[in-house]
Amino acid sequence: MAKEEMKLVANNKKAYHDYFIEETYEAGMVLHGTEVKSLRLGKCSIKEAFIRIENGEIYIYGMHVSPYEKGNIFNKDPLRTRKLLLHKQQIRKLAGSSSEKGYTVVPLKVYFSNGRAKIEVGLAKGKKLYDKRQDIAKKDQKREAEKELKMKLRV
């Protein structure tokens, strides 16, 4: 059996900070040739991107794929709306869940899996301010513990 290869292109750290990710789905993307080449060079950003479900189809808005340098007339608009490829049942489930109060669908990462561009989308519930503070406090505690451990190992 072939080893599955995954090359990360873009990661949305802000989504993990602002939301509780409850479920994740792997989706394909409808891309043009020069966009794929640009993605392979790692020129993609999903920080400002968001996902909408319209007429039983799922789209990503605001995903920035830089124009390919050697693409000249074949380059597309860097911020164009792109269709995502999911099974109809998954789209219906996401649509039903995202219509509930506090839930949304967010892009998490863009990567290549076995040579195909994929995007990981997550069903997310918004965090309150106190939840974010707790996460920051946990990170600080973990960082301090690691720092102390390093100091003990040096001595």
Side-chain angles (χ1 to χ4, degrees):
M1 195 166 147
K3 182 183 152 194
E4 189 171 313
E5 185 182 325
M6 188 177 116
K7 180 189 170 213
L8 188 65
V9 177
N11 197 3
N12 191 356
K13 293 179 183 176
K14 191 171 189 252
Y16 291 101
H17 183 264
D18 292 342
Y19 301 99
F20 292 113
I21 309 300
E22 302 203 350
E23 289 182 48
T24 59
Y25 297 92
E26 181 182 72
M29 290 183 281
V30 176
L31 298 171
H32 292 278
T34 55
E35 290 177 320
V36 176
K37 290 179 178 187
S38 189
L39 278 178
R40 287 197 190 282
L41 294 174
K43 298 187 176 181
C44 172
S45 173
I46 56 173
K47 285 181 182 148
E48 301 296 320
F50 61 95
I51 293 174
R52 282 207 182 129
I53 300 170
E54 300 165 355
N55 302 326
E57 294 180 338
I58 188 165
Y59 296 94
I60 185 164
Y61 294 85
M63 177 175 147
H64 188 276
V65 178
S66 298
Y68 184 58
E69 292 164 10
K70 299 172 184 147
N72 58 38
I73 61 167
F74 299 107
N75 281 329
K76 300 289 181 192
D77 177 28
L79 289 172
R80 76 179 182 87
T81 303
R82 293 169 180 85
K83 185 176 177 181
L84 301 182
L85 306 171
L86 276 171
H87 292 286
K88 199 173 261 335
Q89 182 182 2
Q90 292 174 323
I91 294 173
R92 273 196 234 114
K93 187 175 182 182
L94 280 172
S97 298
S98 65
S99 64
E100 292 177 32
K101 189 174 186 288
Y103 282 93
T104 187
V105 183
V106 293
L108 300 174
K109 12 177 153 165
V110 176
Y111 56 94
F112 280 94
S113 177
N114 293 330
R116 302 206 189 284
K118 302 285 185 182
I119 185 165
E120 187 175 275
V121 297
L123 179 64
K125 186 174 177 81
K127 284 185 181 179
K128 304 279 188 249
L129 183 62
Y130 59 84
D131 291 328
K132 292 179 189 177
R133 286 182 184 151
Q134 286 174 345
D135 283 353
I136 292 169
K138 284 179 187 175
K139 279 184 189 175
D140 288 344
Q141 285 177 338
K142 186 177 177 183
R143 197 175 305 123
E144 288 295 321
E146 287 175 0
K147 198 174 186 181
E148 287 178 22
L149 185 64
K150 270 187 179 178
M151 294 300 282
K152 286 180 182 178
L153 291 175
R154 285 185 182 166
V155 176

